[in-house]
Amino acid sequence: MASLPLLPNSAPFRPEEITALNGVITKSTPEQRAWLSGFLAGFQAAAGGTPAAAAPQAPTKKVPLLILFATESGNAESLAAQTRKAAQKLGFAAKVSDVADISLADAAKAENLLIIVSTWGEGDPPQRATDFYKGLLAEDAPRFEKTRFSVLALGDRAYVNFCQTGHEIDDRLAALGATRFAPLVECDVDFATPATAWIKSTLDTLQKETADDEGAVIHVDFARGPAAEPADEDAEPLYTRNTPFAAEITELVNLNGTGSSAETWHTELSIEGSGLIHAPGDALGIVPVNDPALVDEILNITGLTGDALVREALSEAQDITTLTRPQVEAYAKLTDSAELRALAADADALKNWLPGRQVIDLLEAAPTKLDAATLTSLLRPLPGRLYSIASSAKAAEDEVHLLISAVRYETHGRRRSGVASVDIAERRKKGGSLKVYLKPNPHFRLPADPDRAVIMIGPGTGVAPFRAFCQEREATGAGGKNWLFFGNRHFTHDFLYQLEWQDWKKSGLLTRIDTAFSRDQREKIYVQHRIWEQRKDLYSWIEDGAAIYVCGDANAMAKDVNHALIRVIADQAGIDETAAAAKLDIIRRDGRYLRDVY
Ligand SMILES: Cc1cc2nc3c(=O)[nH]c(=O)nc-3n(C[C@H](O)[C@H](O)[C@H](O)COP(=O)(O)OP(=O)(O)OC[C@H]3O[C@@H](n4cnc5c(N)ncnc54)[C@H](O)[C@@H]3O)c2cc1C
Ligand SMILES: Cc1cc2nc3c(=O)[nH]c(=O)nc-3n(C[C@H](O)[C@H](O)[C@H](O)COP(=O)(O)O)c2cc1C
């Protein structure tokens, strides 16, 4: 490589500044230099100055593009990074930000905006996107008159409110005066192909539409901190759902005692030789394998028992349980059943029919012989399942521990089994293996300050990451206090990792532990009740700077705990619940109220 020109000693800077600038320039990448030259040109223009006497290069013309993402489990974030990479290759000055890190006023300044947003809960935005979402829908939201935009909506067709948040944001931006230059694209769980197509087509369109735009530097101020730039955007994950690592199962124990109605499997996996590096708060993805008995039933009913290839696809590649509206509509067209066709044509009837039903119920409703291609095209790809890592690499080294609750229930007269959890509970054995990949969660981390106190609220399997947190704090000798709220059904059968918590209580690592065993007395007691009972001490921990972590059930628990925290703050601070909710919001924005709920 030819050596880079350096600032001469005659440059209009002091000698130490010339040395410092030359140090930065020689270590910079071509992209950093292009950015810097654009920045300096913009700076000069904004300052109203004349161009420097010996400006070495003309600034590169770049069209600004803001890529926002709203994510819970990281899919939208990684697609945003992918979009930025593609945009930069096309010459855009692309910037990525979590919607949590940008004010609406700054977002409204963007001329070109791509938004990638997932839907959670029951049609809710991801937690960290709540402020942005509420602000956008509020009456006093800023106008987006200058903005061209397009939305990529992530979701799962198995949910009634499919891609709802994406649609709401798309509609609202248009109502606020923004120009939708490309239509919203909905993505189901297999989002890679449609998302890549959206990235390509939106950038192509934008390139054409902005061909005559003046190149500019993006003038977006990230009021709430720096934009979330991926540490190394070129780093590809080592393993993924489709390229997993085969981890040996070194231990598999049901932690629930005899007599328990639950089964929660402590699972130890060896990741030796994988190169996987994880931190407390991360999850491990598992590539599930379908129940062979259900695979047989489906092959029987469709007349495909002799087809080894389709059997293999049904075992590991296709989702043979989840049933969605488009699948009913597609299958109805393949059958002679007038009833099924009528059901598929009646949106309300279908909405009532679907809950609790699976693919097998659809096939049984109108048994029909299918060819292999038709059957596999009816089915969605089988998504991986995530499990919070329950161990710290500092303590468990080459092992990863998981805590997996077996999902079993009955609907419409059929016993149903969770695909991954029951596969592990019933068919996996110590010495066997599981295909895994890492799902980092940079938004659920222990405080950077080892002396900061933490309050961990984790009933059921929600306790898993807190075992990793405690192992980590023990291994690093962190001085901060640790308080655990744990809940489950019965003390005698369901106190997961009981001895470990008790040992940590004895050693002093665990400053406090409060438990709620819901079915040990007549009235149900849950963690939110303990939170309320301990309100005085809890509030004083929060006021002293403790970080609050919540993990586990998203539907009931996380909402009840959130309300309990609001009540505690209202009661102790002597304010009403609206003011207390606002205070909790500030704590959340400070990064001291973190949730990992599912
Ligand atoms: C970030 C994250 C971390 C997680 N961590 C953990 C963890 O540490 N431990 C853990 O056990 N799980 C954890 N989960 C949940 C886990 O990923 C799986 O969703 C869970 O194990 C079920 O998967 P499965 O394949 O066994 O069941 P599936 O085959 O996916 O079946 C589950 C589905 O069955 C249906 N269903 C369940 N019960 C009923 C019922 N009573 N009536 C009607 N329908 C019902 C629901 O549609 C449900 O979505 C986590 C999830 C996420 C997103
Ligand atoms: C607990 C839970 C609730 C969800 N709720 C919805 C929903 O209501 N509507 C929807 O379309 N998708 C829903 N999804 C699917 C997610 O939107 C989908 O997995 C998406 O790819 C996640 O993207 P993210 O990782 O960027 O958050 C839900 C997923 C989970 C695990």
Side-chain angles (χ1 to χ4, degrees):
M1 193 184 89
S3 64
L4 291 165
L6 293 177
L7 260 66
N9 289 340
S10 57
F13 291 98
R14 290 203 304 272
E16 67 274 21
E17 288 172 333
I18 291 176
T19 311
L21 285 166
N22 279 335
V24 172
I25 291 167
T26 46
K27 284 192 203 122
S28 62
T29 62
E31 187 209 331
Q32 286 170 329
R33 289 192 292 277
W35 186 92
L36 197 60
S37 78
F39 172 80
L40 288 175
F43 188 90
Q44 187 73 359
T50 49
Q57 285 167 354
T60 319
K61 176 186 164 180
K62 287 205 171 196
V63 173
L65 170 64
L66 180 62
I67 303 157
L68 293 180
F69 64 85
T71 190
E72 191 72 60
S73 60
N75 294 336
E77 185 169 7
S78 52
L79 288 172
Q82 188 184 329
T83 310
R84 178 169 74 161
K85 226 195 269 184
Q88 281 175 338
K89 276 195 190 134
L90 291 175
F92 287 98
K95 188 105 193 153
V96 175
S97 174
D98 189 328
V99 294
D101 295 328
I102 189 169
S103 72
L104 267 176
D106 280 340
K109 287 182 200 158
E111 288 165 36
N112 303 303
L113 177 63
L114 295 177
I115 302 201
I116 307 174
V117 54
S118 65
T119 299
W120 279 74
E122 292 151 32
D124 304 322
Q127 298 160 59
R128 286 195 318 282
T130 310
D131 287 352
F132 181 89
Y133 169 85
K134 279 191 191 156
L136 195 69
L137 267 66
E139 269 181 26
D140 60 353
R143 303 284 302 170
F144 279 71
E145 310 278 0
K146 288 194 211 120
T147 307
R148 297 182 187 95
F149 79 100
S150 181
V151 174
L152 182 69
L154 302 191
D156 180 340
R157 260 187 215 285
Y159 289 89
V160 181
N161 304 308
F162 177 55
C163 289
Q164 179 162 315
T165 306
H167 279 288
E168 285 173 343
I169 288 179
D170 184 69
D171 290 346
R172 185 63 181 150
L173 283 173
L176 290 171
T179 307
R180 186 189 294 107
F181 74 89
L184 175 146
V185 167
E186 294 176 336
C187 291
D188 201 350
V189 283
D190 48 339
F191 55 79
T193 308
T196 306
W198 174 84
I199 292 170
K200 186 175 178 333
S201 72
T202 50
L203 291 178
D204 283 353
T205 310
L206 205 53
Q207 211 177 21
K208 284 182 200 125
E209 291 203 2
T210 57
D212 298 328
D213 283 10
E214 280 301 305
V217 179
I218 308 181
H219 295 292
V220 171
D221 300 321
F222 292 94
R224 299 190 189 153
E229 304 283 350
D232 177 2
E233 64 172 34
D234 288 321
E236 296 293 335
L238 263 180
Y239 305 99
T240 64
R241 156 71 181 83
N242 294 328
T243 53
F245 174 76
E248 186 190 335
I249 303 171
T250 51
E251 195 58 84
L252 196 53
V253 192
N254 176 14
L255 297 187
N256 299 94
T258 340
S260 172
S261 54
E263 260 178 54
T264 322
W265 290 82
H266 171 74
T267 311
E268 297 188 359
L269 302 169
S270 166
I271 54 162
E272 199 180 340
S274 69
L276 280 175
I277 296 173
H278 60 95
D282 287 345
L284 200 71
I286 287 190
V287 180
V289 175
N290 283 311
D291 180 355
L294 188 60
V295 171
D296 278 342
E297 275 192 78
I298 293 177
L299 293 174
N300 272 328
I301 208 163
T302 52
L304 287 164
T305 40
D307 193 323
L309 275 180
V310 84
R311 176 182 296 278
E312 198 184 313
L314 262 51
S315 298
E316 291 203 32
Q318 311 264 199
D319 186 338
I320 61 168
T321 53
T322 316
L323 184 60
T324 63
R325 189 167 53 84
Q327 287 174 306
V328 179
E329 289 163 354
Y331 187 65
K333 288 191 188 133
L334 299 168
T335 74
D336 299 330
S337 163
E339 268 173 43
L340 203 56
R341 283 168 182 244
L343 180 69
D346 181 341
D348 284 340
L350 192 51
K351 211 169 162 182
N352 291 331
W353 188 83
L354 273 173
R357 287 198 163 86
Q358 297 185 332
V359 169
I360 189 70
D361 303 271
L362 176 67
L363 300 176
E364 279 179 344
T368 306
K369 301 290 172 223
L370 299 175
D371 61 53
T374 308
L375 174 60
T376 49
S377 70
L378 259 183
L379 302 170
R380 307 194 312 169
L382 180 57
R385 305 297 199 265
L386 299 182
Y387 295 94
S388 308
I389 295 179
S391 54
S392 153
K394 295 200 175 67
E397 297 181 345
D398 278 341
E399 280 180 358
V400 164
H401 300 176
L402 307 176
L403 185 61
I404 301 176
S405 164
V407 172
R408 292 195 179 89
Y409 60 97
E410 191 169 327
T411 47
H412 304 288
R414 219 178 213 281
R415 292 170 63 82
R416 322 269 175 177
S417 299
V419 174
S421 60
V422 173
D423 179 42
I424 288 159
E426 289 183 359
R427 291 182 292 278
R428 300 301 168 133
K429 300 282 172 270
K430 191 172 157 177
S433 73
L434 273 177
K435 291 181 184 163
V436 303
Y437 56 96
L438 187 67
K439 184 78 178 180
N441 186 353
H443 307 293
F444 199 72
R445 290 276 183 261
L446 272 165
D449 174 3
D451 293 328
R452 192 180 282 282
V454 300
I455 298 163
M456 301 168 281
I457 303 164
T461 54
V463 84
F466 302 136
R467 182 172 178 267
F469 277 23
C470 287
Q471 286 186 354
E472 179 87 3
R473 284 202 136 189
E474 183 174 50
T476 55
K481 295 189 290 179
N482 304 296
W483 184 349
L484 176 72
F485 285 89
F486 174 72
N488 221 339
R489 287 187 179 167
H490 296 287
F491 172 85
T492 43
H493 314 313
D494 308 319
F495 196 169
L496 307 173
Y497 299 124
Q498 176 183 2
L499 296 180
E500 296 187 32
W501 304 123
Q502 286 171 342
D503 283 348
W504 275 325
K505 182 77 185 52
K506 252 187 241 154
S507 76
L509 181 92
L510 206 52
T511 321
R512 293 189 63 152
I513 175 165
D514 283 270
T515 53
F517 291 100
S518 58
R519 301 189 185 192
D520 275 350
Q521 58 287 306
R522 199 139 23 102
E523 75 288 6
K524 297 265 173 70
I525 295 179
Y526 297 110
V527 281
Q528 59 267 29
H529 298 115
R530 297 295 183 224
I531 287 170
W532 175 247
E533 283 168 16
Q534 301 303 329
R535 59 191 175 279
K536 190 164 172 287
D537 288 352
L538 194 73
Y539 185 70
S540 119
W541 278 52
I542 296 171
E543 284 296 279
D544 288 346
I548 310 163
Y549 296 83
V550 181
C551 182
D553 173 58
N555 288 329
M557 185 277 291
K559 287 182 187 136
D560 292 343
V561 164
N562 188 65
H563 188 220
L565 291 171
I566 290 171
R567 284 181 61 218
V568 167
I569 294 171
D571 180 78
Q572 293 295 302
I575 53 182
D576 65 20
E577 287 196 12
T578 311
K583 194 169 157 79
L584 188 59
D585 246 6
I586 293 169
I587 294 171
R588 181 174 56 76
R589 276 190 223 125
D590 278 355
R592 289 201 294 125
Y593 178 30
L594 305 168
R595 304 199 300 176
D596 185 15
V597 296
Y598 45 84

